[in-house]
């Protein structure tokens, strides 16, 4: 049999790979991109959010999350939960309706699309005749009422979506009971709102856009009351006892109407313009909530004066003499109030207001004095300021974790302490095995620390670097001022703030040492801040140092932005990470690479001009190295400069085309190989050799290409650099031009650390012959294991590296991987990427993969992300490709650039400015939602009795079958009533095959 196996095929290794590697996209962290609809079920205590891309996401208690995606990818316009059911209906902008259900499978609940339906009119009718504008799921759970642009209301059965034509409520039937003079003045037009009577399910309130409101009797198919409004209608809301309802209007007013059996044509009780008398914006939604003390809560969206506040996005809350207009920084999509939903309750007693804005979710506590905001456990606004970089740290020590949480809790004193009010479902996922941090750098100069251990990405702490610098904004300004003496009484809420005081504040690189608590952050204007964690507020002077990376070379002139001005004297910092030294690169270009060694107390930084090393214990610059090539004029213009040399860019493009054509003709007789040499860079030569079909033919790049001095990676290592008998600290740097620099470092022992300076001497310089950018450098010890992190061995979290055997150097460029022996730096092994699609390395890291079958085996491999969006796992030290997974679309350049790997085979990348997609490459380390939504018991006071509901459900399930291969699942029978465990198990055995069949056909 062996002669039939492919060369290199190892069955044992193949089985092991199945135990180690598995690709899964597990969960989406952050705030949904472009939300368009909001729904809430007081019965399930779940919230649903729909987006413009057709996604629908359900949220309950922390860890309870579900996601579905409409195949059409159309905008979700409305979301409505079916009363007392684990079902909801979505309306898309293509006028289609979709029924979704939460069903249990393998011990956890899943969100599935059951049916879809599009309302169609008679032949020849205009599209407006059936364009749905309002949806009302009836409390009977049997029908939907669909209001349309034509003024007609259609009735469809659930779950079959069959139109009951004889129950259609036409606009002509409605107008028969309306006074003629009113009918002549205005028509019904579109249906704006449908509301069921809170005490009588046989009556529904119908509101038309021109202002007409009628109460319709479903049993007798007639109008019982009509209310003649004079303004364009926006929305309706019933009071709890059904004796009154509120209508809100386009002119910024709301009206209270009485409903009694004596008067079929009542006049309004009250018409109020809260922010008049000047013209006001429309009030698009309103709530009237009763309380025990007699003073109602009146909550409405909009209504602000047009002239002065026409651009504000507000929701006003009025309770007696207290009134606040909450001002949001982005457009309000929708909102709802959480109040007592028990039918026996006499009052609403609202507890919280949940507002879905375009860029964030805001929850207001209505029980606490002052109505503070509630800190959300999920749906964080990651992009409150644009994300510029990210950094992941695995397995945080408990002490550091608690100190970060303590610092964050002091920042959250203005938030409410009430429990999270949306608490439906049960999280059954196992507890996270370790504590993980995801750090995001932002355009406004802040760094946010996120708990990335589990499904919920929760903000722990926010660090701001603005206090170190002089900007136009005062950092002591109150971001949430409350103008009590002003009218309207506005209060700014939310964290979304897309505007930066100065783009130079943007954070570009982050490095956190989890053992020492040291943090280094670098920014857009060449600033490098080194910080340490302090549990108390402090006021101190931040030491400054400058690093001239050009080293006074003549002929260079920086054309970009200026450096940030720093504050003189002591600066007060809050508890948390506090900067104690600032290194300013000159020219003040973007910091492109950063490394921190907390044991040696050193920080290395690189820009497009060179790199430097700083001793943050002695606060002294050790050395700088200029990597700028004479042709790198673009490197002197800066990212914010508008002066770009188009002529030079075109010239370089034509040169590349010309070189590729010439080299193509030369290669017709043979193939070229890019090799590396030690010593000073010189003109590259291509050697002839035969390549395997899957390897790429590497093009040599010119030294005249721009940004060759761009420092891409920095790496500290304790290894053999001068000879094989003595190892020493070293610093490695890789550039965009394919050059690797190695410096020997002399770090004094601890007892003389403050007395003697750190010294550095260049020991090696390697030039890759194909000049591809160096994106990663790694040293392997004598056992071919990566060197441990600084202080990792000291904390007994890693074995000491093998310093007896020979070390190896791995240099990863965009086009190939190459292993060198140390200290001679002779080539030992290499792996080239395929050139069929122009594949290039974008991100690379070492990840530890453990077996899902046994805890005794794990291995270190390279996780590689390419410009095509696929992820490759490459073994160490033999550089064998293990497996390849497609992960990100190759057109998603920002997603590829934002990707960050974790130490244990997981990763994050931005799928939108506000969302991280989490994925896993490991079979052992998997973080994904796993939750259950149980059917709550329906109270006997509800409109529908359990027994009749059961009979109806069984009757319907026996009739409703698709003519094709899909059979209706019997789980709906279980969900509609109280069924014993034995019945449920029986139905599971009968219905599971139907579920699987339906799911397969649906896919």
């Amino acid at each position: 049999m062996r002669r039939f196996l492919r060369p290199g095929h190892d069955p044992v290794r193949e089985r092991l790979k199945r135990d180690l590697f598995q690709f899964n996209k597990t969960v989406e962290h952050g705030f949904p991109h472009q939300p368009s609809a909001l729904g809430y079920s007081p019965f399930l205590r779940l919230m649903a959010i729909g987006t413009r891309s057709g996604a629908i996401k359900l949220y309950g208690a922390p860890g309870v999350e579900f996601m579905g995606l409409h195949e059409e990818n159309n905008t979700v316009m409305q979301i409505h939960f079916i009363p007392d059911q684990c079902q909801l209906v979505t309306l898309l902008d293509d006028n289609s309706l979709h029924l979704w259900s939460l069903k249990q499978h393998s011990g956890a609940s899943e969100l599935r699309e059951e049916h879809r339906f599009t309302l169609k009119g008679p032949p020849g009718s205009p599209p407006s005749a059936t364009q749905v504008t309002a949806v009302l799921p009836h409390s009977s759970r049997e029908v939907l009422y669909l209001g349309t642009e034509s003024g007609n209301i259609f009735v469809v059965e659930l779950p079959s979506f069959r139109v009951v034509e004889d129950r259609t409520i036409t606009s002509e039937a409605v107008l028969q009971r309306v006074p003629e003079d009113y009918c002549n003045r205005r028509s019904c037009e579109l249906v704006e709102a449908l509301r069921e009577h809170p005490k009588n399910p046989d009556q529904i309130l119908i509101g038309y856009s021109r202002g007409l409101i009628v109460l319709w009797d479903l049993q007798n198919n007639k109008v019982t009351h009509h209310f003649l409004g004079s303004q364009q209608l926006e929305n309706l809301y019933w009071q709890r006892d059904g004796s009154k309802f509120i209508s809100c209007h386009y002119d910024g007013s709301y009206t209270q109407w009485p409903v009694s059996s004596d008067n079929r044509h009542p006049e309004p009780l009250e018409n109020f313009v809260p922010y008049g008398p000047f013209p006001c914006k429309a009030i698009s939604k309103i709530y009237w909530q009763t309380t025990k003390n007699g003073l109602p809560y009146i909550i409405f969206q909009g209504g602000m004066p047009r002239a002065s506040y026409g651009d504000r996005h507000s929701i006003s809350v009025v309770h007696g003499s207290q009134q606040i207009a909450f001002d949001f920084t982005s457009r309000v999509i929708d909102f709802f109030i959480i109040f007592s939903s028990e039918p026996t309750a006499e009052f609403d007693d609202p507890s919280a207001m949940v507002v879905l804005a375009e860029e964030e979710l805001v929850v207001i506590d209505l029980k606490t004095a002052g109505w503070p905001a509630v800190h959300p456990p999920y749906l964080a606004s990651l992009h409150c300021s644009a994300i510029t970089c990210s950094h992941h740290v695995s397995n945080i020590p408990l002490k550091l974790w608690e100190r970060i949480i303590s610092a964050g809790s002091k920042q959250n004193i203005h938030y409410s302490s009430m429990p999270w009010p949306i608490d439906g479902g049960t999280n059954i996922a196992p507890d996270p095995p370790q504590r993980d941090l995801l750090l995001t750098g932002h355009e406004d100069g802040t760094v946010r620390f996120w708990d990335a251990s589990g499904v919920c990405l929760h903000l722990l702490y926010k660090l701001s670097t603005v206090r170190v610098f002089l900007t136009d904004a005062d950092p002591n300004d109150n971001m949430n001022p409350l103008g009590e003496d002003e009218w309207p009484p506005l209060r700014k809420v939310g964290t979304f703030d897309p505007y930066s005081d100065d783009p130079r504040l943007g954070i570009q690189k982050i490095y956190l040492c989890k053992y020492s608590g040291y943090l280094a952050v670098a920014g857009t204007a060449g600033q490098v801040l080194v910080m340490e964690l302090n549990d108390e507020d402090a006021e101190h002077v931040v030491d400054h140092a400058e690093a001239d990376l050009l080293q006074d070379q003549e002929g260079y002139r920086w054309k970009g932005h200026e450096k940030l001005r720093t504050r003189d004297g002591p600066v007060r910092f809050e508890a948390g990470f506090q900067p104690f030294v600032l290194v300013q690169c000159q020219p003040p270009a973007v910091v492109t690479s950063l490394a921190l060694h907390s044991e040696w107390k050193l920080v290395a930084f690189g820009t497009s001009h060179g790199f430097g090393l700083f001793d943050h214990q002695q606060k002294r610059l050790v050395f700088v190295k200029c990597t700028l090539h004479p042709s790198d004029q673009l490197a002197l213009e800066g990212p914010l400069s508008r002066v770009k040399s188009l002529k030079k860019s075109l010239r370089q493009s034509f040169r590349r085309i010309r070189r590729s054509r010439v080299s193509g003709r030369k290669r017709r007789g043979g193939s070229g190989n890019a090799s590396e040499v030690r010593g000073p860079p010189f003109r590259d030569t291509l050697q002839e050799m035969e390549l395997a079909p899957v390897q790429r033919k590497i093009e040599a790049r010119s030294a005249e290409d721009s940004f060759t001095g761009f420092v891409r990676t920095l790496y500290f290592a304790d290894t053999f650099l001068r000879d094989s008998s003595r190892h020493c600290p070293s610093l490695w740097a890789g550039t965009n031009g394919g050059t690797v620099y190695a410096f020997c470092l002399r770090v004094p022992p601890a007892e003389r650390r403050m007395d003697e300076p750190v010294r550095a001497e260049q020991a090696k310089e390697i030039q890759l012959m194909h000049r591809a950018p160096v994106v990663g450098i790694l040293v392997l010890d004598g056992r071919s294991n990566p060197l441990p992190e600084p202080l990792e061995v000291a904390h007994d979290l890693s074995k000491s590296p093998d310093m007896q055997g020979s070390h190896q150097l791995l240099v990863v460029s965009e086009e190939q991987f190459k292993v060198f022996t140390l200290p001679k730096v002779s080539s030992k092994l290499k792996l080239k990427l395929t050139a069929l699609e122009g594949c290039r390395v974008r991100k690379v890291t070492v990840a530890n993969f453990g077996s899902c079958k046994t805890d005794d085996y794990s291995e270190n491999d390279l996780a590689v992300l390419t410009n095509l969006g696929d992820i490759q796992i490459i073994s160490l030290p033999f550089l064998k490709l293990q497996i390849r997974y497609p992960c990100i679309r190759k057109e998603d350049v920002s997603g590829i650039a934002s990707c960050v790997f974790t130490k244990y085979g997981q990763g994050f990348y931005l799928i939108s400015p506000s969302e991280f997609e989490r994925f896993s490459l490991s079979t052992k380390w998997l973080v994904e939602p796993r939750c259950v939504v149980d059917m709550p018991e329906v109270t006997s006071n509800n409109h529908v009795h359990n027994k009749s509901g059961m009979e109806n459900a069984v009757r319907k399930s026996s009739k409703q079958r698709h003519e094709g291969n899909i059979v209706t699942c019997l789980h709906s029978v279980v969900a509609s009533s109280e069924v014993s465990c034995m019945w449920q198990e029986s139905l599971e055995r009968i219905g599971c095959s139907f579920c699987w069949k339906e799911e397969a056909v649906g896919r």
Side-chain angles (χ1 to χ4, degrees):
M1 287 295 293
R2 292 188 177 184
R3 62 178 179 175
F4 294 103
L5 296 177
R6 296 193 308 273
H9 181 78
D10 184 357
V12 177
R13 179 61 187 173
E14 292 300 317
R15 285 195 298 270
L16 182 59
K17 283 160 60 174
R18 288 193 293 270
D19 296 340
L20 294 173
F21 312 123
Q22 181 180 2
F23 178 74
N24 291 285
K25 291 186 178 181
T26 56
V27 66
E28 294 178 2
H29 296 301
F31 185 75
H33 185 50
Q34 295 181 330
S36 56
L38 177 69
Y40 177 68
S41 170
F43 178 70
L44 300 174
R45 301 186 70 83
L46 294 179
M47 172 181 62
I49 296 178
T51 70
R52 295 186 194 174
S53 60
I56 177 172
K57 300 184 178 184
L58 271 62
Y59 300 93
V64 177
E65 297 184 13
F66 302 94
M67 179 179 173
L69 184 64
H70 297 87
E71 292 182 1
E72 297 80 0
N73 290 337
N74 289 83
T75 299
V76 180
M77 302 299 293
Q78 297 182 36
I79 302 174
H80 299 273
F81 281 86
I82 308 300
D84 304 336
Q85 291 289 297
C86 292
Q87 293 181 316
L88 65 153
V89 171
T90 56
L91 172 67
L92 305 189
D93 62 352
D94 64 353
N95 207 40
S96 62
L97 288 160
H98 302 254
L99 179 64
W100 298 81
S101 296
L102 284 170
K103 294 185 176 180
Q104 292 194 17
H105 177 67
S106 300
S109 297
E110 295 179 352
L111 181 63
R112 299 179 183 176
E113 183 178 355
E114 298 291 328
H115 301 285
R116 64 189 65 188
F117 163 75
T118 301
L119 185 63
K120 298 179 181 179
S125 60
S128 62
T130 55
Q131 183 68 41
V132 179
T133 57
V135 179
L136 172 63
H138 196 261
S139 60
S140 65
R141 309 191 291 270
E142 296 179 354
V143 294
L144 286 177
Y145 291 91
L146 307 178
T148 61
E149 285 188 1
S150 63
N152 296 330
I153 299 170
F154 295 88
V155 183
V156 296
E157 289 183 341
L158 287 176
S160 63
F161 279 133
R162 186 182 69 86
V163 179
V164 186
E165 297 182 358
D166 58 346
R167 295 177 62 181
T168 300
I169 305 172
T170 63
S171 57
E172 290 80 7
V174 170
L175 293 175
Q176 289 177 2
R177 293 298 187 98
V178 178
E180 293 184 3
D181 59 338
Y182 192 87
C183 297
N184 294 334
R185 286 189 291 111
R186 51 185 74 230
S187 63
C188 289
E189 283 201 350
L190 62 86
V191 178
E192 198 69 58
L194 292 171
R195 298 287 181 264
E196 182 181 338
H197 195 290
K199 297 298 182 181
N200 185 359
D202 292 330
Q203 292 181 342
I204 61 173
L205 198 63
I206 307 172
Y208 296 92
S209 63
R210 284 294 183 91
L212 174 64
I213 306 168
V214 299
L215 188 62
W216 183 265
D217 187 343
L218 298 176
Q219 292 291 336
N220 302 313
N221 291 326
K222 67 176 184 179
V223 172
T224 62
H225 296 71
H226 56 267
F227 311 87
L228 307 181
S230 59
Q231 294 293 334
Q232 180 175 323
L233 181 69
E234 291 290 325
N235 219 319
L236 298 170
Y237 186 79
W238 278 106
Q239 291 189 21
R240 190 178 188 91
D241 59 2
S243 63
K244 305 180 189 71
F245 69 88
I246 310 296
S247 62
C248 53
H249 303 274
Y250 182 77
D251 65 343
S253 66
Y254 64 83
T255 305
Q256 189 177 32
W257 303 85
V259 179
S260 65
S261 58
D262 301 333
N263 190 354
R264 303 293 181 175
H265 176 204
E267 294 295 327
L269 291 176
E270 181 186 20
N271 184 47
F272 190 60
V273 183
Y275 296 114
F278 301 105
C280 296
K281 295 174 64 177
I283 295 180
S284 57
K285 190 172 184 178
I286 191 167
Y287 280 84
W288 184 291
Q289 301 280 281
T290 58
T291 61
K292 294 178 182 178
N293 63 10
L295 294 175
Y297 278 85
I298 305 170
I299 305 169
F300 55 90
Q301 177 184 347
M304 301 294 287
R306 288 185 180 274
S308 303
Y309 303 94
D311 59 342
R312 299 297 182 102
H313 314 288
S314 67
I315 295 178
S316 299
V317 180
V318 182
H319 180 58
S321 59
Q322 187 178 6
Q323 180 170 347
I324 293 177
F326 292 99
D327 185 16
F328 300 87
T329 56
S330 58
R331 183 173 62 92
V332 174
I333 303 298
D334 200 355
F335 76 101
F336 61 84
I337 306 298
I338 298 178
F339 57 90
S340 176
S341 59
E342 290 294 328
T344 57
E346 186 178 354
F347 303 100
D348 294 310
D349 286 330
S351 58
M353 176 175 68
V354 181
V355 183
L356 176 65
E358 201 166 34
E359 305 292 351
E360 62 185 328
L361 183 81
V362 179
V363 179
I364 304 297
D365 178 5
L366 299 178
K367 287 289 189 182
T368 305
W371 301 333
V374 182
H375 194 56
Y378 48 73
L379 285 176
S381 182
L382 301 176
H383 65 314
C384 47
S385 176
I387 295 176
T388 51
C389 65
S390 55
H391 174 66
H392 188 274
V393 187
S394 299
N395 204 8
I396 301 293
L398 178 60
K399 185 176 180 181
L400 176 63
W401 186 265
E402 292 175 343
R403 294 178 68 189
I404 292 175
I405 291 177
S406 175
S409 63
K410 296 177 182 178
Q411 296 177 338
N412 297 331
I413 57 176
H414 300 295
Y415 283 101
S416 168
S417 59
M418 79 174 298
W420 184 244
I422 306 168
D423 55 1
T426 304
N427 180 18
I428 60 173
D431 293 334
Q434 61 186 26
R435 295 169 293 274
D436 289 352
L437 274 180
L438 178 66
L439 283 68
T440 54
H442 297 265
E443 190 180 42
D444 62 353
T446 59
V447 179
R448 285 170 167 81
F449 291 65
W450 305 91
D451 178 2
S453 311
V455 172
C456 296
L457 194 67
H458 180 61
L459 180 63
L460 298 178
Y461 165 69
K462 184 181 79 170
L463 163 70
S464 177
T465 62
V466 179
R467 291 181 180 271
V468 182
F469 306 102
L470 288 172
T471 60
D472 295 335
D474 187 352
N476 296 317
D477 286 346
N478 185 6
M479 298 304 292
N480 291 320
L482 176 60
E484 296 179 356
D485 299 331
E486 297 181 1
W487 186 261
L490 288 169
R491 179 196 291 178
K492 188 174 290 293
V493 290
T495 59
F496 178 72
D497 184 11
Y499 305 106
S500 174
D501 298 323
D502 194 327
R504 296 174 296 173
L505 291 169
I507 305 298
Q508 297 296 329
K509 296 293 176 182
I510 306 171
Y511 198 103
L512 171 67
C513 176
K514 61 185 178 182
Y515 303 111
S516 64
Y518 283 112
L519 172 70
V521 297
T524 303
Q527 71 271 29
V528 180
L529 286 165
V530 185
M531 312 183 188
E532 59 183 345
L533 190 56
N534 191 346
D535 297 330
E536 302 294 335
D537 295 359
E539 186 173 358
H540 60 261
V541 176
V542 179
D543 293 301
H544 298 164
E546 284 206 356
D548 183 9
L549 297 177
L550 294 182
Q551 297 175 311
D552 299 325
Q553 296 190 31
E554 297 181 358
Y556 294 103
R557 185 171 61 89
W558 172 247
K559 304 175 185 177
H561 51 266
E562 297 179 353
K563 68 176 183 179
L564 286 162
R565 293 180 300 146
T566 56
R567 294 180 181 271
D568 297 328
V571 182
R572 184 163 187 82
F573 298 99
E574 298 175 343
F577 286 94
Q578 300 173 352
F580 61 89
V581 66
L582 164 66
V583 183
Q584 179 62 58
C585 299
Q586 289 288 7
V590 175
V591 177
T592 58
S593 55
L594 185 69
L596 177 71
H597 201 293
S598 52
E599 186 175 1
W600 301 338
K601 304 294 192 297
L602 299 175
V603 59
F605 49 88
T607 70
S608 55
H609 308 121
F611 60 95
L613 181 66
F614 186 81
D615 179 356
H616 66 76
Q617 184 169 2
Q618 294 188 7
K619 299 176 183 177
R620 170 184 168 274
L621 188 66
V622 179
F623 78 90
V624 292
K625 172 71 176 178
C626 180
T627 58
L628 198 64
H629 191 272
S631 66
D632 281 353
Q633 291 301 316
L634 286 179
L636 293 169
E637 294 182 357
L640 305 179
S641 172
R642 297 181 181 273
V643 183
K644 296 297 180 184
S645 177
L646 177 61
K647 183 176 180 180
K648 182 174 181 179
S649 299
L650 291 172
R651 188 189 311 123
Q652 290 173 345
S653 299
F654 282 116
R655 283 180 179 175
R656 292 192 190 97
I657 295 173
R658 193 183 309 119
R659 284 199 303 270
S660 64
R661 288 176 178 173
V662 172
S663 60
R665 287 195 295 268
K666 288 182 179 180
R667 288 198 307 266
R668 287 175 184 172
S671 301
N673 173 41
S675 58
E676 292 82 1
V677 296
R678 284 187 298 143
F682 58 85
R683 194 78 179 169
D684 49 316
T685 59
L686 299 177
Q687 299 177 353
E688 303 293 330
M689 67 170 289
E690 184 178 356
L691 294 178
V694 296
Q695 292 181 334
R696 73 159 295 163
K697 201 176 297 296
I698 296 177
E699 294 279 351
R701 306 187 187 193
S702 170
E704 298 179 359
D705 286 351
S706 295
F707 295 108
T708 55
F710 187 113
V711 180
R712 294 285 292 268
T713 182
L714 292 165
Y715 178 71
F716 286 107
D718 186 0
T719 186
F720 301 93
L721 196 53
R722 292 193 177 277
D723 55 58
S724 57
S725 60
R726 290 179 300 174
H727 57 89
C728 66
S730 62
L731 173 65
W732 301 77
T735 71
N736 215 44
T739 306
V740 178
Y741 300 94
F743 282 76
C744 280
L745 306 179
R746 182 187 175 277
V747 181
E751 60 272 12
R752 299 193 305 273
R753 184 64 178 82
M754 290 299 295
D755 302 327
E756 300 179 10
V758 176
R759 301 189 183 278
E761 181 182 359
Q762 183 170 342
K764 308 287 182 183
E765 181 175 339
I766 308 169
Q767 177 63 60
L768 304 182
M769 294 304 297
H770 57 289
R771 299 184 183 275
V774 178
V775 296
I777 298 174
L778 182 68
V779 173
L780 306 176
D781 67 4
R783 292 188 293 265
S784 298
N785 293 323
L787 296 182
E789 297 179 15
L791 296 176
E792 191 173 13
V793 176
H795 285 76
D796 297 327
L797 296 175
S798 175
K799 295 181 180 179
S800 298
D802 184 358
M803 309 303 283
Q804 303 300 321
S806 60
H807 285 197
Q808 301 173 79
L809 171 69
L810 172 63
V811 177
V812 181
S813 73
E814 284 190 352
E815 300 182 348
Q816 71 176 8
F817 303 79
K818 192 155 190 178
V819 176
F820 300 87
T821 60
L822 288 177
K824 292 185 178 181
V825 195
S826 57
S827 177
K828 180 180 180 181
L829 185 67
K830 65 182 173 182
L831 171 67
K832 299 177 183 179
L833 298 182
T834 175
L836 298 179
E837 305 91 359
C839 185
R840 295 180 185 274
V841 176
R842 286 291 178 260
K843 304 278 183 176
V844 62
T845 193
V846 176
N848 182 268
F849 293 92
S851 172
C852 63
K853 297 292 183 62
T854 175
D855 295 333
D856 299 333
Y857 183 81
S858 66
E859 66 180 38
N860 293 310
D861 298 289
L862 289 177
V864 180
L865 175 69
T866 72
N867 63 325
L868 302 180
D870 60 355
I871 293 177
Q872 302 179 17
I873 299 177
I874 297 173
S875 66
L876 285 176
F878 301 110
L879 301 183
K880 298 292 185 182
L881 178 63
Q882 301 300 300
I883 203 159
R884 184 198 312 258
Y885 300 111
C887 180
I888 312 173
R889 293 182 301 107
K890 64 180 180 180
E891 298 84 8
D892 187 4
V893 179
S894 62
I896 294 173
S898 66
C899 182
V900 55
F901 289 106
T902 76
K903 189 177 179 180
Y904 295 98
Q906 298 186 66
F908 303 82
Y909 69 93
L910 288 173
I911 55 175
S912 74
S914 59
E915 289 175 292
F916 274 113
E917 176 81 68
R918 186 173 191 146
F919 62 87
S920 175
L921 307 170
S922 170
T923 57
K924 187 174 182 180
W925 300 94
L926 194 66
V927 176
E928 61 180 350
R930 184 170 175 81
C931 43
V932 172
V933 176
D934 294 320
M935 187 72 179
E937 182 178 347
V938 182
T939 59
S940 58
N941 288 1
N942 204 359
H943 300 314
V944 182
H945 296 288
N946 291 340
K947 184 176 180 180
S948 60
M950 177 65 175
E951 292 173 352
N952 291 336
V954 173
R955 192 182 303 115
K956 287 186 178 181
S957 61
S958 65
K959 292 181 179 179
Q960 294 166 357
R961 287 188 176 88
H962 291 277
E963 294 180 359
N965 294 327
I966 301 176
V967 183
T968 301
C969 177
L970 294 178
H971 284 108
S972 58
V973 179
V974 182
S976 63
S977 62
E978 298 177 12
V979 184
S980 65
C981 296
M982 185 170 62
W983 267 98
Q984 186 160 350
E985 291 175 0
S986 302
L987 289 174
E988 288 283 354
R989 287 194 294 270
I990 300 172
C992 275
S993 60
F994 296 141
C995 285
W996 295 336
K997 198 172 186 181
E998 182 172 354
E999 184 181 9
V1001 175
R1003 288 180 180 173

